[in-house]
Amino acid sequence: THVVTEACIKCRYTDCVDVCPVDCFHAGPNFLVIDPDECIDCAVCVAECPAEAIYAEEDLPSDQMQFIEINAELSQQWEVISRKVDALPDADDWKGKTGKLELLER
Ligand code: F3S
């Protein structure tokens, strides 16, 4: 499966959503996740993300491992998003920032 990581938090550009062939993305207030049971590992979304937030699970940076569980958990709670929407306000200011996990809204 593919995994959305911390870089998406407070950016949520949603370019990834438009290219997904299986609607595996689920959106929350300031983040979005991939449902591991729906993702077919096509990897098309990886290059679309301006924040470089999406990784194949086997390529996850070691400090992002907790996002495997976060994607699995929140995809069960949040609604499917199947069309791109506007990025969050200040998305460009938050792009590339680290330490955003504590800002994740559930
Ligand atoms: Fe997030 Fe990147 Fe998609 S910032 S919403 S994973 S395009």
Side-chain angles (χ1 to χ4, degrees), residues 4 7-8 11-17 25 32 48-51 53-54:
V4 185
C8 177
C11 291
R12 213 192 59 190
Y13 285 101
T14 71
D15 298 71
C16 53
V17 172
F25 287 97
L32 148 169
E48 295 299 316
C49 176
I54 307 176

